[in-house]
Protein backbone atom coordinates (compact mmCIF):
# COMPACT_ATOMS: atom_id res chain seq x y z
CA UNK A 1 0.00 0.00 0.00
CA UNK A 2 1.41 3.34 -1.03
CA UNK A 3 -0.10 5.40 1.78
CA UNK A 4 -0.31 4.95 5.51
CA UNK A 5 -3.85 5.19 6.97
CA UNK A 6 -4.94 8.60 5.81
CA UNK A 7 -7.42 9.27 8.59
CA UNK A 8 -4.50 9.53 11.00
CA UNK A 9 -2.59 11.98 8.87
CA UNK A 10 -4.57 15.08 9.74
CA UNK A 11 -2.94 17.33 12.29
CA UNK A 12 -5.95 17.28 14.59
CA UNK A 13 -6.05 13.49 14.50
CA UNK A 14 -2.35 13.23 15.31
CA UNK A 15 -2.79 15.52 18.31
CA UNK A 16 -5.81 13.52 19.48
CA UNK A 17 -3.95 10.22 19.34
CA UNK A 18 -1.13 11.52 21.54
CA UNK A 19 -3.18 12.99 24.38
CA UNK A 20 -3.33 9.70 26.29
CA UNK A 21 0.48 9.42 26.39
CA UNK A 22 3.10 11.22 28.44
CA UNK A 23 3.84 14.29 26.39
CA UNK A 24 7.27 15.39 25.33
CA UNK A 25 8.08 18.85 23.97
CA UNK A 26 8.13 17.36 20.47
CA UNK A 27 4.67 15.80 20.90
CA UNK A 28 3.03 18.97 22.22
CA UNK A 29 4.59 21.22 19.62
CA UNK A 30 1.97 22.28 16.98
CA UNK A 31 2.15 20.18 13.87
CA UNK A 32 3.52 22.12 10.87
CA UNK A 33 0.95 22.88 8.22
CA UNK A 34 1.69 20.85 5.08
CA UNK A 35 2.94 22.88 2.16
CA UNK A 36 0.83 22.08 -0.90
CA UNK A 37 -0.08 24.04 -3.98
CA UNK A 38 -3.42 25.84 -4.06
CA UNK A 39 -6.39 23.86 -5.31
CA UNK A 40 -7.55 24.80 -8.80
CA UNK A 41 -11.32 25.19 -8.95
CA UNK A 42 -13.43 25.46 -12.09
CA UNK A 43 -16.67 27.33 -11.30
CA UNK A 44 -19.86 25.31 -11.77
CA UNK A 45 -22.40 27.01 -14.04
CA UNK A 46 -25.95 25.82 -13.43
CA UNK A 47 -28.03 25.45 -16.61
CA UNK A 48 -31.22 27.52 -16.64
CA UNK A 49 -33.34 24.39 -17.09
CA UNK A 50 -31.80 22.44 -14.19
CA UNK A 51 -34.19 21.65 -11.32
CA UNK A 52 -34.08 24.21 -8.53
CA UNK A 53 -33.19 21.40 -6.13
CA UNK A 54 -30.03 19.81 -7.58
CA UNK A 55 -27.69 17.78 -5.40
CA UNK A 56 -24.39 16.60 -6.89
CA UNK A 57 -22.44 15.38 -3.90
CA UNK A 58 -21.26 12.58 -1.66
CA UNK A 59 -23.51 12.02 1.32
CA UNK A 60 -21.68 11.62 4.65
CA UNK A 61 -24.83 10.06 6.11
CA UNK A 62 -25.90 10.80 9.65
CA UNK A 63 -28.00 13.69 10.86
CA UNK A 64 -29.94 15.99 8.55
CA UNK A 65 -27.86 19.05 9.46
CA UNK A 66 -24.70 17.51 7.94
CA UNK A 67 -26.24 15.63 4.99
CA UNK A 68 -26.98 17.58 1.79
CA UNK A 69 -28.94 14.64 0.38
CA UNK A 70 -31.40 14.70 3.27
CA UNK A 71 -31.63 18.49 3.18
CA UNK A 72 -32.33 18.52 -0.56
CA UNK A 73 -34.97 15.81 -0.35
CA UNK A 74 -36.70 17.64 2.50
CA UNK A 75 -36.76 20.87 0.47
CA UNK A 76 -38.11 19.13 -2.65
CA UNK A 77 -40.83 17.33 -0.68
CA UNK A 78 -41.88 20.50 1.14
CA UNK A 79 -42.00 22.61 -2.03
CA UNK A 80 -43.43 19.76 -4.14
CA UNK A 81 -40.76 20.28 -6.75
CA UNK A 82 -38.53 17.89 -8.65
CA UNK A 83 -35.02 17.08 -7.43
CA UNK A 84 -32.01 16.21 -9.56
CA UNK A 85 -29.66 13.84 -7.76
CA UNK A 86 -26.19 12.60 -8.53
CA UNK A 87 -25.24 11.49 -5.05
CA UNK A 88 -22.86 8.81 -3.77
CA UNK A 89 -23.94 7.00 -0.59
CA UNK A 90 -21.64 4.67 1.37
CA UNK A 91 -23.75 1.69 2.40
CA UNK A 92 -23.40 -1.46 4.42
CA UNK A 93 -25.65 -3.31 1.98
CA UNK A 94 -24.57 -2.43 -1.57
CA UNK A 95 -26.65 -5.13 -3.28
CA UNK A 96 -28.88 -3.62 -5.97
CA UNK A 97 -31.67 -5.70 -7.55
CA UNK A 98 -31.93 -5.91 -11.32
CA UNK A 99 -35.47 -4.52 -11.32
CA UNK A 100 -38.09 -2.98 -9.06
CA UNK A 101 -37.29 -0.61 -6.24
CA UNK A 102 -34.42 -0.56 -3.80
CA UNK A 103 -33.82 1.34 -0.57
CA UNK A 104 -30.48 3.10 -0.10
CA UNK A 105 -29.38 4.06 3.41
CA UNK A 106 -25.94 5.27 4.48
CA UNK A 107 -24.17 3.06 7.01
CA UNK A 108 -23.99 5.88 9.55
CA UNK A 109 -26.42 6.02 12.50
CA UNK A 110 -29.61 8.04 12.05
CA UNK A 111 -29.26 8.38 8.27
CA UNK A 112 -31.98 9.12 5.76
CA UNK A 113 -33.46 6.22 3.74
CA UNK A 114 -34.23 6.66 0.06
CA UNK A 115 -36.46 4.25 -1.88
CA UNK A 116 -35.86 4.58 -5.61
CA UNK A 117 -36.06 2.64 -8.89
CA UNK A 118 -33.16 0.18 -8.95
CA UNK A 119 -32.30 1.24 -12.50
CA UNK A 120 -31.39 4.66 -11.12
CA UNK A 121 -28.82 3.24 -8.70
CA UNK A 122 -25.30 2.41 -9.91
CA UNK A 123 -23.13 0.03 -7.85
CA UNK A 124 -19.97 0.40 -9.93
CA UNK A 125 -18.11 1.97 -6.99
CA UNK A 126 -19.48 -0.47 -4.37
CA UNK A 127 -19.86 -0.08 -1.38
CA UNK A 128 -20.64 3.42 -2.65
CA UNK A 129 -23.99 3.51 -4.45
CA UNK A 130 -24.73 6.31 -6.90
CA UNK A 131 -28.31 7.59 -7.03
CA UNK A 132 -28.77 9.55 -10.25
CA UNK A 133 -31.67 11.09 -12.13
CA UNK A 134 -34.48 13.60 -11.72
CA UNK A 135 -37.26 12.61 -9.35
CA UNK A 136 -40.53 13.54 -7.74
CA UNK A 137 -39.94 13.33 -3.99
CA UNK A 138 -42.38 12.16 -1.34
CA UNK A 139 -41.64 12.14 2.37
CA UNK A 140 -43.02 8.95 3.94
CA UNK A 141 -41.48 9.35 7.41
CA UNK A 142 -39.24 11.58 9.48
CA UNK A 143 -36.16 10.15 7.78
CA UNK A 144 -37.56 8.27 4.77
CA UNK A 145 -38.36 9.36 1.22
CA UNK A 146 -39.70 7.71 -1.91
CA UNK A 147 -38.48 8.87 -5.31
CA UNK A 148 -40.39 8.48 -8.57
CA UNK A 149 -38.26 8.78 -11.69
CA UNK A 150 -39.00 11.71 -13.98
CA UNK A 151 -35.84 11.62 -16.12
CA UNK A 152 -32.84 9.27 -16.29
CA UNK A 153 -30.48 11.75 -17.91
CA UNK A 154 -27.47 13.21 -16.10
CA UNK A 155 -26.73 16.94 -16.17
CA UNK A 156 -22.92 16.94 -16.64
CA UNK A 157 -22.67 20.74 -16.35
CA UNK A 158 -23.39 20.35 -12.62
CA UNK A 159 -20.48 17.96 -12.02
CA UNK A 160 -17.56 19.39 -10.02
CA UNK A 161 -14.43 19.48 -12.12
CA UNK A 162 -11.13 18.13 -10.85
CA UNK A 163 -9.02 14.98 -10.43
CA UNK A 164 -10.89 11.70 -10.01
CA UNK A 165 -10.50 9.35 -7.04
CA UNK A 166 -7.59 7.43 -8.50
CA UNK A 167 -5.58 10.57 -9.28
CA UNK A 168 -6.33 12.04 -5.85
CA UNK A 169 -5.35 8.86 -4.02
CA UNK A 170 -2.14 8.16 -5.91
CA UNK A 171 -0.77 11.71 -6.17
CA UNK A 172 2.67 12.28 -4.66
CA UNK A 173 1.21 14.77 -2.18
CA UNK A 174 -1.97 12.79 -1.46
CA UNK A 175 -1.25 12.33 2.25
CA UNK A 176 -0.65 16.01 2.92
CA UNK A 177 -3.33 17.38 0.61
CA UNK A 178 -6.20 15.10 1.67
CA UNK A 179 -5.37 15.29 5.36
CA UNK A 180 -5.16 19.07 5.19
CA UNK A 181 -8.57 19.29 3.52
CA UNK A 182 -10.13 17.24 6.32
CA UNK A 183 -8.50 19.44 8.98
CA UNK A 184 -9.61 22.67 7.29
CA UNK A 185 -13.19 21.47 6.85
CA UNK A 186 -13.32 20.39 10.50
CA UNK A 187 -12.15 23.84 11.57
CA UNK A 188 -14.64 25.67 9.35
CA UNK A 189 -17.70 23.58 8.27
CA UNK A 190 -19.14 26.71 6.69
CA UNK A 191 -16.68 26.23 3.82
CA UNK A 192 -18.34 22.97 2.78
CA UNK A 193 -19.57 24.21 -0.62
CA UNK A 194 -16.08 25.50 -1.45
CA UNK A 195 -14.62 22.08 -0.62
CA UNK A 196 -17.35 20.27 -2.58
CA UNK A 197 -16.39 22.19 -5.71
CA UNK A 198 -12.71 21.40 -5.09
CA UNK A 199 -13.10 17.70 -4.22
CA UNK A 200 -16.45 16.58 -5.67
CA UNK A 201 -14.77 15.24 -8.81
CA UNK A 202 -13.34 12.50 -6.57
CA UNK A 203 -16.55 11.48 -4.76
CA UNK A 204 -15.09 8.71 -2.62
CA UNK A 205 -12.25 10.88 -1.36
CA UNK A 206 -14.72 13.73 -0.77
CA UNK A 207 -16.83 11.34 1.34
CA UNK A 208 -13.74 10.44 3.37
CA UNK A 209 -12.81 14.07 3.91
CA UNK A 210 -16.31 14.85 5.19
CA UNK A 211 -16.47 11.83 7.48
CA UNK A 212 -13.06 12.62 8.93
CA UNK A 213 -13.93 16.29 9.42
CA UNK A 214 -17.23 15.44 11.12
CA UNK A 215 -15.48 12.99 13.43
CA UNK A 216 -12.81 15.54 14.31
CA UNK A 217 -15.44 18.19 14.98
CA UNK A 218 -17.68 15.99 17.12
CA UNK A 219 -15.20 13.71 18.86
CA UNK A 220 -11.91 15.58 18.67
CA UNK A 221 -10.41 12.52 16.98
CA UNK A 222 -11.09 10.14 14.12
CA UNK A 223 -13.60 7.33 14.75
CA UNK A 224 -12.73 5.42 11.59
CA UNK A 225 -10.12 5.16 8.86
CA UNK A 226 -12.40 6.81 6.33
CA UNK A 227 -9.79 8.20 3.98
CA UNK A 228 -7.89 4.95 3.64
CA UNK A 229 -11.22 3.25 2.97
CA UNK A 230 -11.98 5.77 0.24
CA UNK A 231 -8.61 5.17 -1.40
CA UNK A 232 -8.29 1.44 -0.74
CA UNK A 233 -9.08 0.30 -4.29
CA UNK A 234 -6.18 2.33 -5.68
CA UNK A 235 -3.56 1.51 -3.06
CA UNK A 236 -3.16 -2.26 -3.38
Amino acid sequence: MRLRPLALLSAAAIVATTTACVSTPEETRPQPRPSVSKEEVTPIETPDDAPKVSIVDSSPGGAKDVDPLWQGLAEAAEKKTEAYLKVYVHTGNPEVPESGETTVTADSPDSVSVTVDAKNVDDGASPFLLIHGTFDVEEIGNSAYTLKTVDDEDIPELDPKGPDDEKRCTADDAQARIGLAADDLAEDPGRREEFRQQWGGSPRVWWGIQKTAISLGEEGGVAGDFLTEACGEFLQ
Side-chain angles (χ1 to χ4, degrees):
M1 180 173 289
R2 181 173 178 177
L3 303 182
R4 297 181 63 187
L6 284 169
L8 299 181
L9 292 173
S10 63
I14 292 172
V15 172
T17 60
T18 61
T19 55
C21 304
V22 176
S23 297
T24 67
E26 289 74 18
E27 289 174 336
T28 57
R29 186 177 302 147
Q31 298 292 325
R33 184 177 177 85
S35 177
V36 297
S37 60
K38 186 178 180 180
E39 288 286 340
E40 295 184 5
V41 181
T42 301
I44 298 172
E45 297 184 4
T46 302
D48 293 338
D49 58 350
K52 297 299 182 183
V53 177
S54 294
I55 308 129
V56 181
D57 218 319
S58 297
S59 166
K64 181 179 178 180
D65 61 351
V66 298
D67 185 5
L69 172 60
W70 192 340
Q71 294 166 15
L73 293 175
E75 179 182 354
E78 179 183 358
K79 296 181 178 179
K80 300 186 185 308
T81 187
E82 296 175 356
Y84 171 73
L85 306 181
K86 190 173 183 181
V87 180
Y88 285 84
V89 181
H90 188 280
T91 71
N93 180 23
E95 300 295 329
V96 179
E98 294 184 359
S99 61
E101 293 184 330
T102 188
T103 298
V104 178
T105 307
D107 56 358
S108 300
D110 306 317
S111 295
V112 67
S113 292
V114 182
T115 300
V116 60
D117 290 335
K119 65 181 181 180
N120 292 93
V121 180
D122 187 338
D123 63 357
S126 178
F128 292 87
L129 298 182
L130 173 61
I131 305 172
H132 59 102
T134 301
F135 306 94
D136 286 328
V137 181
E138 179 183 1
E139 183 176 10
I140 58 174
N142 290 334
S143 60
Y145 294 83
T146 294
L147 308 183
K148 298 300 181 185
T149 306
V150 175
D151 194 331
D152 292 331
E153 295 297 317
D154 286 345
I155 307 176
E157 294 89 344
L158 294 177
D159 293 348
K161 310 302 187 289
D164 61 17
D165 285 304
E166 182 174 9
K167 290 180 180 178
R168 286 291 195 184
C169 291
T170 58
D172 291 339
D173 62 354
Q175 294 188 19
R177 189 176 290 276
I178 296 174
L180 183 61
D183 277 347
D184 286 348
L185 183 59
E187 291 177 3
D188 189 357
R191 295 176 62 193
R192 186 185 187 281
E193 174 58 19
E194 172 189 343
F195 281 97
R196 183 190 73 86
Q197 294 193 34
Q198 292 175 356
W199 292 89
S202 47
R204 285 176 276 191
V205 172
W206 172 223
W207 168 86
I209 289 170
Q210 292 179 84
K211 292 289 289 184
T212 301
I214 291 169
S215 186
L216 287 169
E218 294 179 351
E219 308 294 337
V222 181
D225 200 354
F226 305 115
L227 295 171
T228 296
E229 183 174 358
C231 286
E233 176 183 339
F234 313 106
L235 303 177
Q236 304 299 324

